[in-house]
Amino acid sequence: MAAGALASLPSDSRAAERGDVYAKIDAAARQPVLKQELFAEEVELESVELLRHGGNFICRVRSKDGAEGLSVSHNAKMADLYPVAVNRVLPFFVGKDARQLDALVDQVYVHQANYKLQGLALWIPLATVEFAILDLLGKVAGKSMGQLIGTIHHSQVAIYQANNHRGLSAEESIQRIERSVSESGARAVKFKIGGRMREADQPKGRTEQLIPLMRETFGPQMTIYADANGAYDVPQAIRIGRLLEEHDIDFYEEPVPFDWYAETKQVADALKIPIAGGEQEPSLRNFRWLIGNGALQICQPDLFYFGGMIRSIRVARMAAALGLPCTPHISGTGLGYLYM
């Protein structure tokens, strides 16, 4: 009996291999993000305010020395979340040294048990403050935000043309996508498949018609991404994934609901097409599992939904430790695309 029980345990080599993977991920996540060496003196935050102008929520931070930083929030969501911002998040930063932003991002999480609010309720207010603080620090140091937290690799970035044409026929969807691409000149496109979060495909059969039509319409030179927004269970996701592979689609985003972690890995294990995800993910620890277990081949933390640039860069570094790319997601309003 004892020998049989021991035989069922994972081998030491496999356990050691998994430990090595997580050691790489954890070492990457621990690296500091904000370049504190750019600031010789303390940058004490004297005031942190949330201002409203029409439908815009603007965060304004000021230092004791008179520097000022501004950000525009995720306006669509902040209309509901501003009480959390003004009562639980903004006051925490008053009197703090902005140079300690890496640590402050972690400390606000436990301040007044804010971790109980983890998700959009906490992370959108945090991202809003962080962007304003980075704007202030950039003015102090004479650097762009990118130079404060990383290395500028490209002075320009390519875009893809996204669409949200569920409910239209495949032919109608293609016509709209073609029109958008011709207007923008984009060399990549992302199209929606299935029904959002396990809803039925509308109209029925739209996805199976649209996938081959996308490649036929745009040809082999166009980069094409497919976004399921959690449309499928595992067997359905694999079936659609094989159709995507057949037509050389470049990645497959959220094939199953975003919090179906083990199921996401099952889909990834069954397919060759890269699986993308993370737009809805609120937890650094869950990204660690998704990356460490090969459930994602492309990581997509949302700069607002995930709590800002510092937390998102940690995910990017965790992914890079295993040779995986990170393409940050942006959920939408204000200056979101600029921050991305």
Side-chain angles (χ1 to χ4, degrees), residues 51-164:
L51 312 175
R52 185 170 188 171
H53 178 69
N56 295 296
F57 289 85
I58 300 167
C59 184
R60 179 171 64 192
V61 297
R62 289 171 169 161
S63 73
K64 264 196 166 182
D65 296 331
E68 180 178 280
L70 297 169
S71 73
V72 179
S73 185
H74 189 304
N75 295 321
K77 296 291 190 292
M78 190 60 86
D80 298 314
L81 300 179
Y82 69 85
V84 175
V86 299
N87 294 324
R88 306 296 292 268
V89 178
L90 275 63
F92 168 81
F93 288 89
V94 176
K96 302 296 196 303
D97 182 357
R99 299 177 303 171
Q100 306 300 320
L101 190 56
D102 283 39
L104 296 176
V105 163
D106 295 330
Q107 291 165 11
V108 73
Y109 177 62
V110 296
H111 175 68
Q112 295 184 338
N114 280 337
Y115 58 85
K116 295 179 184 290
L117 300 172
Q118 178 175 216
L120 270 63
L122 178 61
W123 295 140
I124 287 178
L126 174 59
T128 301
V129 178
E130 185 209 73
F131 296 158
I133 292 173
L134 287 171
D135 185 48
L136 181 151
L137 289 172
K139 292 171 182 173
V140 170
K143 304 285 186 182
S144 71
M145 286 188 185
Q147 291 170 314
L148 295 182
I149 58 178
T151 301
I152 305 298
H153 296 282
H154 305 285
S155 59
Q156 296 182 326
V157 292
I159 62 167
Y160 65 76
Q161 183 72 52
N163 80 86
N164 190 20

Side-chain angles (χ1 to χ4, degrees), residues 191-221:
F191 69 108
K192 302 288 187 175
I193 59 174
R196 185 181 295 272
M197 293 298 286
R198 306 284 289 116
E199 291 182 341
D201 201 6
Q202 292 293 336
K204 187 176 180 181
R206 170 183 176 273
T207 292
E208 288 83 352
Q209 295 171 5
L210 185 56
I211 291 170
L213 201 53
M214 284 292 295
R215 183 55 74 191
E216 178 186 326
T217 300
F218 292 106
Q221 302 307 315

Side-chain angles (χ1 to χ4, degrees), residues 1-62:
M1 289 293 294
L6 288 173
S8 68
L9 296 174
S11 68
D12 289 343
S13 62
R14 287 180 61 192
E17 180 182 344
R18 181 60 54 203
D20 288 345
V21 166
Y22 280 128
K24 290 179 182 179
I25 293 172
D26 294 342
R30 283 194 296 267
Q31 295 302 308
V33 178
L34 180 67
K35 298 175 183 176
Q36 292 189 17
E37 66 272 14
L38 295 174
F39 307 95
E41 299 177 354
E42 182 179 4
V43 184
E44 183 180 339
L45 298 174
E46 185 171 54
S47 65
V48 182
E49 305 167 281
L50 186 67
L51 312 175
R52 185 170 188 171
H53 178 69
N56 295 296
F57 289 85
I58 300 167
C59 184
R60 179 171 64 192
V61 297
R62 289 171 169 161

Side-chain angles (χ1 to χ4, degrees), residues 172-244:
E172 290 174 301
S173 296
I174 282 288
Q175 289 170 7
R176 291 196 176 197
I177 297 168
E178 279 189 295
R179 187 160 58 246
S180 296
V181 168
S182 66
E183 291 171 355
S184 68
R187 291 178 292 178
V189 63
K190 185 168 80 173
F191 69 108
K192 302 288 187 175
I193 59 174
R196 185 181 295 272
M197 293 298 286
R198 306 284 289 116
E199 291 182 341
D201 201 6
Q202 292 293 336
K204 187 176 180 181
R206 170 183 176 273
T207 292
E208 288 83 352
Q209 295 171 5
L210 185 56
I211 291 170
L213 201 53
M214 284 292 295
R215 183 55 74 191
E216 178 186 326
T217 300
F218 292 106
Q221 302 307 315
M222 178 70 82
T223 298
I224 303 178
Y225 307 132
D227 187 359
N229 290 115
Y232 305 115
D233 62 18
V234 171
Q236 290 173 319
I238 293 171
R239 178 179 66 82
I240 294 297
R242 288 181 176 143
L243 185 59
L244 293 169

